[in-house]
């Protein structure tokens, strides 16, 4: 790759720019430096973080590097190699990950910055910005290393607004994971406080997925390579959709595992994320989400990168066509994927709940029988009741769990021998920062190096021991959830879902009656802990009207 020449933008172009390098937290520093490394054609990028990132961030790459003149110019405001000088007035011509210089000026404004670079010459350049700029010779192979220290040292309010070390590093970990999945041909590594926590070999989408998750997840996936043509006002344009999606049997409780990128740039786009989920159609339950990473290469000139101050979002001028292409690409890739979904039925319907001071709303209900092994049809006077057996059992289990969570927390069953579980970087950070809450929920977890956790105990509140998959889902929710007030209730709802009856679990009449007995003992029997109704009713007059009878069954 030829070394790009850095030039200053004219005033008219600067005035148009909305996106820029606004450094708000350590993860933003990492994002800007990763953008620069990728734009320099790097095939290997090493990220090193100390503490929460304010102490030290180091990003080293093997890209094209900078000449001394370009290195000195790169720390100036509005100097860039990413927007061609001859088209500087047209921001839609940007084909790189950023366009306000090398982002170094913004970083140097709030930290001490050291840059060591070489564009292939015999002698490299070392540039230090610490109040003033110092330039010296340096020995380095081709590429660039940027070291940022003392971030926000002169901005105490900004530093105090940061979350804890685990949370800030969790943001960096998720960021690196998103880049690795968007650029599977690049070798990434991430180290924290001297320990490598993440690595991707840079060989394929499967290897990137293996680095972010584990071997089991990576083995249950299929790649996407889809080319099509979409219509636009100026004529037809070619679009490429590539990526990887896990089988529908591999799901998570939050949509944070559905990642998308445009031209190798990780972005947040609800429309593209929805298109990916829609591609799974009905293969994934409504309260579950797939694991997928999709990169879209849209027609030239259809992307506006200048719509978000942090470049997390882009504008798409042919959004409808792009989303349709993404949905179709995912759907076609899954035609040969494993669509089987397995679940185990819990059988503990005998144990009573604590008495509630009111009459049983189902005391006079008579079970007629099951419908499609998901609903129970029941007679209650002049009404036909339809009970969702999963939602009903989930409500029962949730209230059981809630009653057990007190000073002692959820009962824990020890694992002999302990198991190891591989999780993504953000989940590993969540395990560290929420250790006390996990213990209250019955998990005994400890770091075991890198993205591996040692699990010595699992929740066992309902007569059966949970499995390690529930720990993964719980960590995913903790990593994504920003609502500290109701976090425990949300996790208890997830715990309740795990052992509850599933579609296809056939109940005998006796078991159905026991389920109604337990549901009647609940404080809130008419909704599951996620808010879905447990019971729907159809009165006799509705049936009579449908059959054009009178208002009673005897006319």
């Amino acid at each position: 790759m030829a070394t790009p020449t850095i030039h200053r933008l004219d005033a008219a172009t600067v005035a148009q720019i909305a996106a820029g390098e606004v450094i708000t937290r350590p993860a933003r520093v990492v994002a800007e430096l990763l953008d620069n490394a990728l734009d320099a054609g790097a095939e290997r990028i090493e990220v090193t973080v100390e503490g929460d990132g304010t102490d030290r961030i180091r990003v080293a790459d093997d890209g094209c590097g900078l000449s001394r003149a370009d290195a000195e110019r790169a720390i100036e405001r509005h100097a860039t190699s990413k927007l061609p000088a001859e088209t500087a007035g047209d921001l839609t011509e940007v084909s790189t990950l950023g366009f306000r210089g090398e982002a170094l000026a913004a970083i140097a404004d709030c930290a001490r910055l050291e840059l060591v670079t070489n564009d292939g010459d015999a002698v490299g350049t070392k540039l230090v910005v610490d109040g003033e700029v110092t330039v010296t010779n340096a020995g380095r192979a081709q590429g660039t290393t940027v070291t940022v220290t003392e971030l926000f040292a002169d901005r105490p309010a900004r530093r105090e607004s940061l979350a804890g070390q685990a949370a800030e590093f969790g943001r960096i970990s998720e960021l690196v994971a998103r880049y690795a999945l968007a650029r599977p041909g690049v070798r990434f590594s991430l180290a924290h406080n001297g320990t490598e926590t993440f690595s991707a070999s840079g060989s394929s989408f499967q290897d990137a997925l293996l680095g972010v998750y584990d071997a089991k997840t990576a083995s249950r996936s299929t790649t996407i390579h889809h080319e099509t043509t979409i219509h636009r006002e100026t004529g037809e344009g070619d679009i490429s959709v590539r990526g990887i999606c896990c089988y529908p049997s591999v799901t998570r409780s939050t949509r944070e595992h559905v990642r998308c990128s445009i031209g190798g740039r990780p972005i947040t786009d609800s429309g593209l994320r929805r298109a990916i989920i829609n591609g799974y159609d009905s293969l994934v339950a409504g309260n579950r989400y797939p694991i997928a990473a999709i990169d879209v290469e849209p027609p030239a000139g259809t992307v506006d990168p200048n719509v978000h101050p942090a470049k997390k979002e882009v504008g798409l001028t042919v959004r409808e066509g792009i989303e349709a292409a993404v949905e179709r690409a995912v759907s076609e890739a899954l035609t040969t994927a494993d669509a089987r979904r397995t679940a185990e039925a819990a059988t503990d319907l005998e144990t009573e709940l604590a008495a509630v001071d009111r009459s049983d709303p189902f005391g006079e209900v008579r079970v007629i029988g099951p419908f499609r092994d998901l609903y129970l049809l029941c007679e209650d006077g002049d009404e036909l009741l339809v009970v969702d057996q999963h939602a009903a059992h989930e409500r029962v289990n949730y209230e059981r769990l809630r009653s057990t969570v007190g000073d002692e927390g959820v009962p824990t069953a020890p694992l002999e021998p302990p198991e190891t579980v591989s999780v993504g970087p953000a989940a590993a950070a969540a395990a560290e920062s929420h250790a006390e809450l996990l213990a209250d929920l019955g998990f005994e977890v400890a770091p075991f190096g890198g993205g591996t956790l040692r699990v010595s105990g699992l929740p066992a509140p309902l007569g059966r021991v949970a499995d390690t998959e529930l720990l993964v889902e719980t960590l995913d929710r903790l990593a994504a959830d920003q609502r500290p007030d109701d976090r425990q209730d949300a996790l208890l709802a997830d715990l309740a879902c795990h052992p509850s009856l599933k579609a296809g679990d056939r109940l005998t009449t006796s078991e159905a009656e026991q389920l109604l007995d337990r549901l009647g003992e609940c404080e809130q029997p008419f909704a599951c802990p996620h808010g879905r109704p447990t019971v729907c009713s159809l009165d006799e007059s509705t049936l009579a009207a449908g059959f054009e009878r009178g208002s009673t069954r005897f006319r």
Side-chain angles (χ1 to χ4, degrees):
M1 175 177 179
T3 303
T5 299
I6 294 179
H7 56 273
R8 298 180 182 86
L9 292 174
D10 59 67
T13 303
V14 170
Q16 295 181 51
I17 294 176
E21 290 70 40
V22 180
I23 306 304
T24 56
R25 58 186 346 117
R28 289 288 298 129
V29 173
V30 176
E32 298 298 345
L33 297 180
L34 288 178
D35 284 353
N36 289 341
L38 292 169
D39 283 344
E43 296 180 352
R44 180 171 182 171
I45 303 176
E46 299 174 351
V47 181
T48 304
V49 178
E50 292 182 8
D52 63 358
T54 58
D55 297 333
R56 182 172 180 265
I57 293 173
R58 177 181 177 272
V59 177
D61 68 66
D62 62 353
C64 62
L66 296 169
S67 67
R68 178 161 299 187
D70 278 349
E72 293 177 353
R73 200 174 295 125
I75 62 171
E76 298 180 14
R77 290 285 183 181
H78 308 302
T80 184
S81 65
K82 304 182 180 187
L83 191 63
E86 62 274 12
T87 60
D90 185 3
L91 299 180
T92 64
E93 292 295 325
V94 175
S95 59
T96 57
L97 300 184
F99 51 84
R100 279 190 67 185
E102 301 300 309
L104 302 181
I107 296 172
D109 186 53
C110 55
R112 181 184 185 275
L113 184 145
E114 176 185 294
L115 179 146
V116 179
T117 188
N118 191 333
D119 63 351
D121 286 348
V123 179
T125 300
K126 179 179 180 180
L127 185 148
V128 177
V129 184
D130 188 11
E132 58 183 30
V133 181
T134 303
V135 182
T136 58
N137 291 337
R140 192 202 191 282
Q142 185 168 346
T144 301
T145 300
V146 179
T147 304
V148 178
T149 55
E150 302 174 23
L151 181 63
F152 303 139
D154 60 349
R155 291 167 170 80
R158 177 67 58 81
R159 180 170 282 199
E160 290 173 6
S161 71
L162 299 177
Q165 179 180 143
E168 291 299 331
F169 181 69
R171 287 186 171 94
I172 294 172
S173 298
E174 170 60 17
L175 178 75
V176 175
R178 288 174 63 86
Y179 274 89
L181 289 167
R183 296 291 186 104
V186 178
R187 184 174 180 179
F188 288 88
S189 68
L190 173 64
H192 186 221
N193 294 337
T195 301
E196 186 175 84
T197 62
F198 170 80
S199 65
S201 65
S203 58
S204 66
F205 277 109
Q206 280 91 348
D207 286 332
L209 200 66
L210 173 63
V212 176
Y213 294 97
D214 53 33
K216 181 179 179 182
T217 301
S219 67
R220 299 162 69 186
S221 63
T222 184
T223 54
I224 295 173
H225 295 282
H226 182 83
E227 308 283 340
T228 190
T229 300
I230 60 176
H231 297 283
R232 46 189 299 201
E233 291 183 1
T234 56
E236 294 184 339
D238 295 330
I239 179 173
S240 170
V241 180
R242 65 190 189 103
I244 190 166
C245 56
C246 285
Y247 299 158
S249 55
V250 184
T251 62
R252 292 293 187 266
S253 58
T254 71
R255 67 185 68 207
E256 304 306 315
H257 299 267
V258 181
R259 301 176 174 92
C260 51
S261 56
I262 296 286
R265 173 205 306 233
I267 63 168
T268 300
D269 191 290
S270 59
L272 289 180
R273 177 178 278 173
R274 184 172 56 251
I276 296 170
I277 295 172
N278 289 345
Y280 280 77
D281 194 25
S282 60
L283 297 176
V284 175
N287 62 341
R288 306 292 298 178
Y289 299 95
I291 296 175
I294 305 298
D295 181 66
V296 181
E297 192 70 52
T302 62
V303 179
D304 180 3
N306 189 38
V307 298
H308 191 277
K311 296 177 293 186
K312 292 181 180 180
E313 302 174 7
V314 297
L316 300 175
T317 60
V318 285
R319 172 171 293 278
E320 185 175 342
I322 291 174
E323 291 179 3
V326 169
E327 182 176 338
R328 184 165 55 255
V330 173
S331 178
E332 291 178 359
L334 291 171
T335 55
T336 57
D338 177 11
R340 292 171 297 173
R341 303 180 71 246
T342 60
E344 297 180 357
T347 58
D348 180 22
L349 299 175
E350 296 86 0
T351 305
E352 297 182 0
L353 279 72
V356 179
D357 186 16
R358 57 159 169 72
S359 60
D360 182 357
F362 307 108
E364 302 300 324
V365 171
R366 182 178 70 86
V367 175
I368 299 172
F371 176 64
R372 299 184 64 82
D373 291 336
L374 175 58
Y375 305 104
L376 299 177
L377 303 182
C378 307
E379 180 183 8
D380 184 18
D382 290 339
E383 291 183 318
L384 175 67
L385 300 186
V386 183
V387 180
D388 184 322
Q389 66 184 36
H390 172 75
H393 198 195
E394 196 174 52
R395 164 53 64 178
V396 171
N397 288 334
Y398 170 74
E399 295 206 7
R400 283 173 169 164
L401 269 174
R402 194 176 58 183
S403 67
T404 65
V405 177
D407 295 334
E408 298 181 359
V410 175
T412 300
L415 289 182
E416 296 292 347
E419 297 183 22
T420 57
V421 178
S422 297
V423 297
E432 179 182 348
S433 58
H434 298 289
E436 184 175 345
L437 176 57
L438 289 171
D440 288 342
L441 292 172
F443 295 101
E444 293 182 357
V445 184
F448 201 60
T452 303
L453 302 175
R454 183 176 185 270
V455 185
S456 56
L458 288 167
L462 305 174
R464 67 190 290 247
V465 181
D467 57 29
T468 53
E469 184 66 23
L470 181 61
L471 172 62
V472 175
E473 294 181 6
T474 302
L475 292 174
D476 286 341
R477 180 176 286 277
L478 286 173
D481 193 356
Q482 302 298 317
R483 302 168 298 166
D485 294 339
D486 61 358
R487 183 172 287 161
Q488 179 167 289
D489 274 349
L491 292 173
L492 289 177
D494 285 349
L495 284 169
C497 179
H498 174 71
S500 298
L501 294 162
K502 305 297 191 297
D505 294 333
R506 178 174 288 269
L507 298 180
T508 65
T509 299
S510 175
E511 289 171 333
E513 290 172 346
Q514 288 176 333
L515 177 60
L516 287 178
D517 288 343
R518 302 292 81 79
L519 185 62
E521 294 164 353
C522 292
E523 290 183 6
Q524 299 179 20
F526 297 107
C528 81
H530 298 99
R532 292 195 305 108
T534 59
V535 182
C536 292
S537 65
L538 189 67
D539 60 35
E540 185 187 3
S541 63
T542 301
L543 291 174
F547 288 106
E548 298 182 0
R549 298 175 63 90
S551 60
T552 75
R553 58 191 141 172
F554 298 114
R555 289 187 180 178

